[in-house]
Amino acid sequence: ELAFAGDVRVTGFRSTDDALDDDFVNFERLDLRKVRFAMAPDSLSIERVDVRKPYARVSISPDQVLNVAAVFDPEGTAAALAERKAKAAEEASAESASKERKPRARKKEPKKEPAPPPPREVLVETGWPIRIREVRIESGQMNFSDQFIQPNFAADIKDLDGTLTSLSTDPNSSAKVDLKGEVGEFSP
């Protein structure tokens, strides 16, 4: 129904995180090379993405909410947070009820080792098949903070350069990440 083949360039992009009233994602230049987009059948492939001077502010709130998730999926993030809070309240209520019960004499059973947790299923919602052969990052910067852990943690990552190759929505694919940067002023 619709198709596009070509290159795309975006310059001087800046976005603001309204919740933090601060920069969110910025970049000086983004080049998408050899883009092939199609609808019916749906597909997107990009030969190479070059990002010059990207910046991102990534934070985890005291409620364990990742700001990136909250921006791109506010409804899903709010639902997950509500579910997490309801489960925590339920567990706290059950723990409180068990403390109130009087202990009964029971015959002692041998202590069993806890069973290992079942493997987590990773569900990948692919939607569109997407393939990006290579992403090149030049002179990147990221501010990361975690307000959930105690004590809180923050890191300023500078001079981030490198590549990500073979990105895909195919759940059987794997990507290679080769990034180098400095954390703070001194640590590579």
Side-chain angles (χ1 to χ4, degrees):
E1 292 181 8
L2 177 68
F4 169 82
D7 295 340
V8 176
R9 173 175 281 174
V10 179
T11 58
F13 179 84
R14 181 169 184 253
S15 64
T16 302
D17 182 336
D18 289 338
L20 298 174
D21 193 30
D22 212 339
D23 285 344
F24 178 53
V25 173
N26 306 334
F27 53 81
E28 184 177 280
R29 189 176 77 217
L30 172 73
D31 288 311
L32 306 175
R33 300 180 193 244
K34 295 186 180 177
V35 176
R36 298 202 185 292
F37 168 82
M39 290 179 63
D42 301 338
S43 69
L44 173 63
S45 69
I46 302 171
E47 188 65 21
R48 192 170 83 217
V49 177
D50 292 320
V51 188
R52 184 162 187 234
K53 293 190 177 179
Y55 169 82
R57 179 176 304 281
V58 179
S59 63
I60 300 171
S61 75
D63 290 330
Q64 288 182 289
V65 173
L66 182 66
N67 69 327
V68 176
V71 168
F72 288 107
D73 185 12
E75 292 173 2
T77 301
L81 181 58
E83 183 180 321
R84 189 179 321 128
K85 285 182 177 181
K87 186 176 179 180
E90 184 180 297
E91 289 172 356
S93 176
E95 185 176 311
S96 175
S98 70
K99 286 181 180 178
E100 291 175 5
R101 286 189 226 136
K102 293 182 180 179
R104 289 195 230 163
R106 295 188 306 183
K107 66 178 183 177
K108 197 165 188 170
E109 295 180 21
K111 192 173 183 178
K112 294 180 184 176
E113 290 294 319
R120 289 185 353 169
E121 278 189 41
V122 178
L123 299 175
V124 177
E125 193 175 308
T126 57
W128 288 65
I130 300 171
R131 185 189 69 78
I132 302 172
R133 190 182 68 75
E134 181 179 43
V135 176
R136 293 181 185 177
I137 297 173
E138 177 188 337
S139 301
Q141 182 179 353
M142 180 174 79
N143 291 110
F144 174 79
S145 64
D146 190 336
Q147 303 297 313
F148 175 71
I149 62 171
Q150 295 298 324
N152 297 157
F153 173 78
D156 185 22
I157 301 168
K158 295 180 178 181
D159 298 324
L160 187 63
D161 294 297
T163 60
L164 296 90
T165 55
S166 302
L167 299 173
S168 173
T169 55
D170 179 352
N172 297 316
S173 69
S174 61
K176 181 179 178 185
V177 178
D178 182 15
L179 296 172
K180 293 176 179 66
E182 293 182 10
V183 178
E185 296 178 27
F186 309 106
S187 179

